[in-house]
Amino acid sequence: MTQPSAGTGDHRTEPAVLAQRVADRRAELGMAEQELALAAGMAPRYLRQVLDAGPGFDPGGFVRIAAALGLTYKELLEGRSDPPPGQAGPGAGPVLVHLTSQECWDMVGSHGVGRIALPAEPSPVVFPVNYTVDARTLVYRTALGAPAALDAGSAVSFQVDRVDERLSQGWSVLVAGTAEPVDDPAAVRALAERRAVEPWAGGKRPLWMRIRPGRVTGRRIETAAGGHGL
């Protein structure tokens, strides 16, 4: 699957509304934009890109932004509805927990759907793709000449996340590294024989791409009351 993701269309989650909500919350906390970017594990430029594009561009990014602002994912998307003073209850706030490298790989699992972020002008582009894990690398299939068909050594980011809006919980794993075509015939044959990746979008996608991680980081939202991300 290599189709661009889309926003929700809900007026409460329009990018401009969310960006203003984030700005208001930062002002309330006395937090600079750069501090928010650092707390959410993003470069300041990427933070601005995420806010400009909306939650459909990077849901996991909004999970991290919410936790950095002391909000649940739902509160960030829909606005807060605070109870009267003294009625909030103890330990209700979200906590951003950093995952170990092993926990990150456990979350990513053996296969699934993730988002690959590619450098472009005037801003990065993100495509969802079906992937598999192969010896601590990530492999996906794409069409020849497609945007996700990259030259060897291309810098990429790859994100896998799960967000439960009902429970306001979630986790996000971010892999930063380089991509390269899988051009070894034996490796291609082995991946094809075990049907390692079956793109949902269908069609001919003969090119196998491999992402070699340089850095793997992850975060999960927990509540002080003991609940944690899915």
Side-chain angles (χ1 to χ4, degrees):
M1 177 170 69
T2 53
Q3 298 298 320
S5 57
T8 63
D10 190 322
H11 72 91
R12 295 171 301 180
T13 58
E14 288 295 326
V17 174
L18 287 174
Q20 186 59 53
R21 190 172 293 144
V22 168
D24 291 344
R25 179 61 173 168
R26 283 199 300 101
E28 182 181 336
L29 298 174
M31 177 185 287
E33 185 178 87
Q34 189 166 357
E35 292 177 280
L36 174 59
L38 180 63
M42 301 177 180
R45 181 186 176 198
Y46 187 72
L47 171 65
R48 289 191 293 273
Q49 172 67 15
V50 169
L51 294 177
D52 287 343
F57 175 76
D58 184 352
F62 271 86
V63 169
R64 302 199 301 274
I65 292 169
L69 292 171
L71 302 172
T72 66
Y73 181 72
K74 184 176 181 180
E75 286 173 337
L76 178 58
L77 264 59
E78 300 182 2
R80 299 183 68 177
S81 180
D82 293 331
Q87 295 185 20
V95 177
L96 194 63
V97 177
H98 292 259
L99 303 176
T100 66
S101 176
Q102 183 58 53
E103 287 174 328
C104 288
W105 287 108
D106 289 343
M107 291 291 190
V108 169
S110 61
H111 64 279
V113 178
R115 297 176 183 82
I116 183 169
L118 310 174
E121 292 296 338
S123 59
V125 294
V126 174
F127 296 94
V129 296
N130 298 88
Y131 72 88
T132 191
V133 175
D134 184 50
R136 291 293 177 100
T137 68
L138 298 163
V139 177
Y140 65 92
R141 282 170 52 192
T142 190
L144 296 171
L150 305 171
D151 295 331
S154 297
V156 299
S157 294
F158 192 87
Q159 181 173 287
V160 182
D161 54 59
R162 297 292 182 270
V163 176
D164 188 322
E165 296 189 39
R166 183 177 62 85
L167 297 177
S168 298
Q169 296 176 350
W171 57 263
S172 173
V173 171
L174 182 65
V175 176
T178 57
E180 61 188 35
V182 180
D183 50 18
D184 177 59
V188 171
R189 184 166 54 252
L191 289 168
E193 286 177 351
R194 65 185 174 96
R195 303 175 67 87
V197 178
E198 292 296 328
W200 291 353
K204 292 185 177 181
R205 299 175 187 275
L207 180 62
W208 294 83
M209 296 293 304
R210 187 184 303 276
I211 298 174
R212 296 192 180 276
R215 183 166 54 101
V216 180
T217 58
R219 293 166 175 78
R220 181 181 65 230
I221 287 188
E222 295 183 350
T223 64
H228 56 77
L230 47 161

